[in-house]
Amino acid sequence: MRVLLVEDDPMLGSALQGALQDHSYAVDWVRDGAQALLVLHGQHYDLVLLDLGLPQVDGLQVLQRLRGQGNAVALLILTARDGLDERLRGLDSGADDYLCKPFELDELLARMRAVLRRKGGTGAPQLGNGLLRLDPVTRQAQSADGPPVQLTQREFALLQALLLRPGAILSRSELEDRIYGWGQEVESNAVEFLIHALRRKLGSGAIQNVRGVGWKVAAAA
Ligand code: CA
């Protein structure tokens, strides 16, 4: 999952980026609204965390412009402005949810999962295709005939990307995009290495290779 964090407070931004990376998200961090719009124009994100009080272009304007351009990316507002008007304007402008600062990390993570579930069109807390199941809270995966196994952060990020769209083929660079944020060095063969590890844990048929194109999990039965 690739997340864009838009936050001008350096301490909060840095702490959030680190904490979200620890929870398997690939996180890019920008510090003003103009940069956010620029980056969102060129890169696909699964979720945006948007502060409202920002230099250059404020958060509400960022949101309004995005939605005005037809960009439907999942978006959660993080704001110190806890006034009712502000929250209502955010939601009415197309935010999927909001969280008032200060907040607990666990609550942010739970709300991110909820927004992503709704956007993905599935209300179910677990991802699956009938053969594999993945729990985003515990980061455990299970094949139909095996015990639950614990995944590493990157194994989880890769399997999650595939299970969000069972049957769809994702290329190496699409998978790398979901696993690595800016400035995180992509080791060569990282994707093959992770696929190998996942197959060892979940069975050789868990992930299918489509030669020269990419990888997929079977379409939901
Ligand atoms: Ca701010």
Side-chain angles (χ1 to χ4, degrees):
M1 285 276 177
R2 196 170 179 113
V3 173
L4 181 68
L5 170 63
V6 190
E7 171 59 67
D8 62 324
D9 181 312
M11 279 191 30
L12 181 60
S14 161
L16 271 180
Q17 185 180 38
L20 292 173
Q21 283 169 348
D22 287 346
H23 285 82
S24 308
Y25 290 98
V27 186
D28 298 335
W29 173 25
V30 296
R31 293 154 181 80
D32 69 67
Q35 248 190 311
L37 285 168
L38 196 69
V39 166
L40 280 160
H41 198 68
Q43 163 88 45
H44 167 82
Y45 288 94
D46 298 294
L47 180 79
V48 178
L49 297 175
L50 180 67
D51 180 28
L52 286 187
L54 290 170
Q56 309 286 344
V57 182
D58 88 24
L60 212 50
Q61 284 179 56
V62 170
L63 174 57
Q64 285 162 351
R65 274 197 228 171
L66 271 183
R67 295 313 192 216
Q69 292 161 359
N71 188 327
V73 65
L75 189 144
L76 208 157
I77 288 174
L78 302 178
T79 179
R81 304 178 195 178
D82 53 2
L84 182 62
D85 278 359
E86 196 81 54
R87 297 203 298 267
L88 295 182
R89 272 171 69 205
L91 291 172
D92 282 338
S93 300
D96 295 293
D97 201 358
Y98 67 87
L99 200 53
C100 293
K101 299 173 189 170
F103 51 80
E104 297 290 330
L105 180 65
D106 283 344
E107 182 173 8
L108 173 64
L109 293 168
R111 284 182 185 267
M112 287 170 70
R113 288 191 295 266
V115 165
L116 288 164
R117 278 203 301 275
R118 290 201 297 271
K119 283 282 175 177
T122 160
Q126 295 202 345
L127 291 171
N129 65 345
L131 300 170
L132 293 173
R133 274 190 305 168
L134 181 66
D135 186 330
V137 179
T138 61
R139 235 185 274 152
Q140 285 187 334
Q142 190 168 14
S143 62
D145 49 5
V149 289
Q150 193 65 45
L151 303 185
T152 67
Q153 288 171 30
R154 286 183 173 158
E155 288 166 3
F156 171 82
L158 190 152
L159 187 59
Q160 182 184 43
L162 291 172
L163 276 175
L164 279 169
R165 293 173 60 207
I169 302 167
L170 293 183
S171 69
R172 176 196 314 276
S173 70
E174 286 169 329
L175 287 170
E176 285 172 353
D177 267 0
R178 305 299 199 289
I179 301 169
Y180 297 97
W182 298 334
Q184 290 186 299
E185 197 186 339
V186 182
E187 302 111 46
S188 61
N189 295 327
V191 168
E192 281 86 352
F193 182 81
L194 291 169
I195 300 258
H196 178 74
L198 283 165
R199 284 177 171 154
R200 217 173 43 222
K201 289 182 177 179
L202 294 166
S204 55
I207 298 171
Q208 299 157 17
N209 178 238
V210 181
R211 196 164 289 280
V213 188
W215 292 267
K216 65 173 185 172
V217 293

